[in-house]
Amino acid sequence: MNEVAGEILAILRRYLSEPTSRSLLTSAARRANVRLEVLVRSEIPQLVQQLGPGLNIFLQEPEKLQNCKSLLALVAVENAPSIPMESQPQQAESRPDGISVPIRAEHDVVRARTLGKDMAKQLGFSEVVQTKVATAVSELARNIFQYAGTGEIRIRRIEGKKRGIEVVARDQGPGISDPALILSGAYRSKWGMGAGLRGTKRLVDEFELDTHPGLGTTVRIRKYAE
Amino acid sequence: MVMMMETQRIPIVRLSGKLIVSIQTALSDTVVDRLQQDVAAACEKGDARGLVVDVSGVDVLDSYITRSLRDLAVMARLMGVETVVCGLRPAVAMTLVEMGMELPGVRTALNLDRALALLDSLQPEGLPHDLAGEGDEWEGEA
Ligand SMILES: Nc1ncnc2c1ncn2[C@@H]1O[C@H](COP(=O)(O)OP(=O)(O)OP(=O)(O)O)[C@@H](O)[C@H]1O
Ligand SMILES: [Mg+2]
């Protein structure tokens, strides 16, 4: 197994035991007609596609299954943007620019949080950065669910001189009438402590809040590897 | 595919007069709310001499969950059950501090053993509980 195959194995290992991961990978490689010893990046998409059925059987927890598939899809998309991926309609959707998690139910908050952590880990960030990213995602996802009802969290890697991760939380909810007050720290909400957005801002390197009463809210954050 | 639709419950274990809650699952708001209710019910029975909440299995604590844990600890204490939160992961503790979300007024300990020892060392029942003592009762970092 070469380094490229090792990356795929590492993702599987996060959710499955070593023997299970290996046997899934081996059988998927056989079906995809690729050899793990000499796997090249352009072959990743077809390999990942063949992993799907096995994962469905071995990963019984829906959340883990979706997260694992999302990570694999992300790797696949990154390596061959032109090849369409197996679609995952009602859960996370993978695009060339990252993973999108729809927020519609309380459970999606946990899912987005977990995926944020997994993705930061996958991109090689330290435990502390992973935790900060996941916490920020959790705050933003919860706000969407609490105040807007539905929306979307998009997570993608930032390429370039500074490696990093970008999270965009977007909804078409009621918007925030006085964002400056909220970020100033003088604000205390009825239910929460008003610590979510302010805390999130402190956790990340870049924070942009774009909100329009009646139209919705978009929060864009970026965190760079330390 | 197995769907797990019913709300997960975090077990509360009784061990030599103490209640031990070990959180090993991803915390949704519902699960946290449920835990609060279950802890309240367990405290109400009146025979518990302490409560330990082990969060070593928790890899993300956001503002809502942190606040819920704090409320849980304060509530148990008001019911006469001293509470120690233990096992906070370093990355989680650092994140909380950075967010300005520490756990004021909540005793913390490094691990389960220390948490149990801390409970044993606390004053026996009958003495008034010091509810105002914020910050000065911390065992360590966090
Ligand atoms: N996506 C959103 N749409 C509409 N209003 C929002 C949104 N996000 C935040 N708000 C408003 O901004 C306020 C501050 O949000 P923030 O997350 O900082 O604190 P909170 O949610 O009130 O409490 P906490 O996050 O500490 O539990 C909220 O009370 C809410 O009124
Ligand atoms: Mg909030």
Side-chain angles (χ1 to χ4, degrees):
Chain A
M1 191 168 304
N2 68 4
E3 202 183 316
V4 179
E7 273 178 41
I8 307 286
L9 183 66
I11 295 178
L12 296 176
R13 279 292 285 118
R14 205 165 295 155
Y15 302 93
L16 296 160
S17 71
E18 175 84 32
T20 309
S21 303
R22 280 187 184 274
S23 70
L24 273 184
L25 193 56
T26 315
S27 64
R30 205 166 43 235
R31 281 195 306 275
N33 243 325
V34 298
R35 289 185 51 219
L36 295 176
E37 301 76 36
V38 292
L39 190 71
V40 292
R41 298 205 165 266
S42 60
E43 291 170 336
I44 288 181
Q46 56 200 104
L47 178 60
V48 165
Q49 189 129 30
Q50 292 300 332
L51 276 169
L55 286 175
N56 291 340
I57 294 168
F58 282 98
L59 260 176
Q60 303 253 296
E61 292 169 58
E63 186 181 312
K64 285 188 180 165
L65 177 68
Q66 289 303 335
N67 286 352
C68 183
K69 283 187 169 181
S70 299
L71 279 183
L72 287 170
L74 182 74
V75 178
V77 166
E78 272 171 4
N79 285 293
S82 56
I83 299 176
M85 285 312 304
E86 186 189 3
S87 64
Q88 298 158 14
Q90 87 309 20
Q91 289 286 347
E93 187 194 335
S94 195
R95 314 173 180 169
D97 59 345
I99 294 175
S100 158
V101 187
I103 304 296
R104 282 180 293 234
E106 190 204 286
H107 179 79
D108 295 326
V109 177
V110 178
R111 195 174 131 52
R113 183 199 298 158
T114 312
L115 198 56
K117 177 123 205 278
D118 285 352
M119 231 180 114
K121 186 170 185 178
Q122 178 62 28
L123 296 179
F125 295 117
S126 71
E127 175 82 17
V128 175
V129 174
Q130 289 170 35
T131 307
K132 287 179 180 174
V133 168
T135 306
V137 168
S138 191
E139 297 293 348
L140 299 178
R142 175 173 287 108
N143 279 357
I144 290 178
F145 179 63
Q146 264 182 350
Y147 305 117
T150 58
E152 174 202 45
I153 298 272
R154 228 179 56 222
I155 311 173
R156 70 176 188 95
R157 101 203 281 173
I158 304 167
E159 313 275 5
K161 252 209 311 236
K162 281 202 281 185
R163 279 184 330 115
I165 194 162
E166 181 184 77
V167 178
V168 179
R170 177 175 292 134
D171 65 66
Q172 300 182 338
I176 305 173
S177 49
D178 198 346
L181 175 73
I182 284 165
L183 293 176
S184 76
Y187 171 84
R188 244 169 200 263
S189 72
K190 192 168 169 197
W191 302 111
M193 295 203 299
L197 285 174
R198 203 158 24 94
T200 300
K201 190 176 175 196
R202 291 202 206 169
L203 289 180
V204 298
D205 300 313
E206 290 172 26
F207 180 99
E208 249 173 65
L209 172 62
D210 185 23
T211 182
H212 303 278
L215 290 177
T217 303
T218 300
V219 183
R220 180 189 303 267
I221 56 175
R222 287 180 162 207
K223 181 83 188 164
Y224 297 101
E226 277 169 356
Chain B
M1 176 154 58
V2 181
M3 296 301 283
M4 297 174 302
M5 292 317 288
E6 68 198 271
T7 306
Q8 250 175 315
R9 251 192 151 116
I10 298 168
I12 301 176
V13 178
R14 267 167 202 273
L15 189 73
S16 56
K18 299 180 185 88
L19 302 173
I20 299 174
V21 175
S22 175
I23 305 176
Q24 298 296 338
T25 175
L27 289 171
S28 72
D29 296 359
T30 311
V31 170
V32 175
D33 295 346
R34 183 67 156 271
L35 178 64
Q36 256 179 7
Q37 292 166 19
D38 288 351
V39 165
C43 289
E44 231 166 21
K45 290 188 182 159
D47 53 352
R49 283 181 291 112
L51 166 69
V52 179
V53 182
D54 180 359
V55 295
S56 58
V58 178
D59 60 2
V60 182
L61 279 182
D62 65 10
S63 63
Y64 181 86
I65 303 170
T66 306
R67 202 156 47 235
S68 303
L69 285 180
R70 204 243 351 250
D71 291 352
L72 184 153
V74 170
M75 177 196 71
R77 195 184 213 187
L78 285 169
M79 296 175 81
V81 180
E82 289 295 347
T83 303
V84 180
V85 173
C86 73
L88 219 58
R89 295 189 189 185
V92 172
M94 285 172 74
T95 303
L96 289 182
V97 169
E98 205 136 318
M99 287 183 88
M101 290 272 328
E102 288 109 76
L103 289 162
V106 177
R107 289 189 176 85
T108 57
L110 200 59
N111 54 38
L112 188 56
D113 282 348
R114 294 221 197 160
L116 291 171
L118 180 58
L119 279 180
D120 284 337
S121 74
L122 292 176
Q123 39 185 291
E125 64 264 46
L127 293 174
H129 294 293
D130 171 21
L131 286 166
E134 293 201 353
D136 53 0
E137 304 170 310
W138 292 45
E139 202 214 15
E141 83 304 31

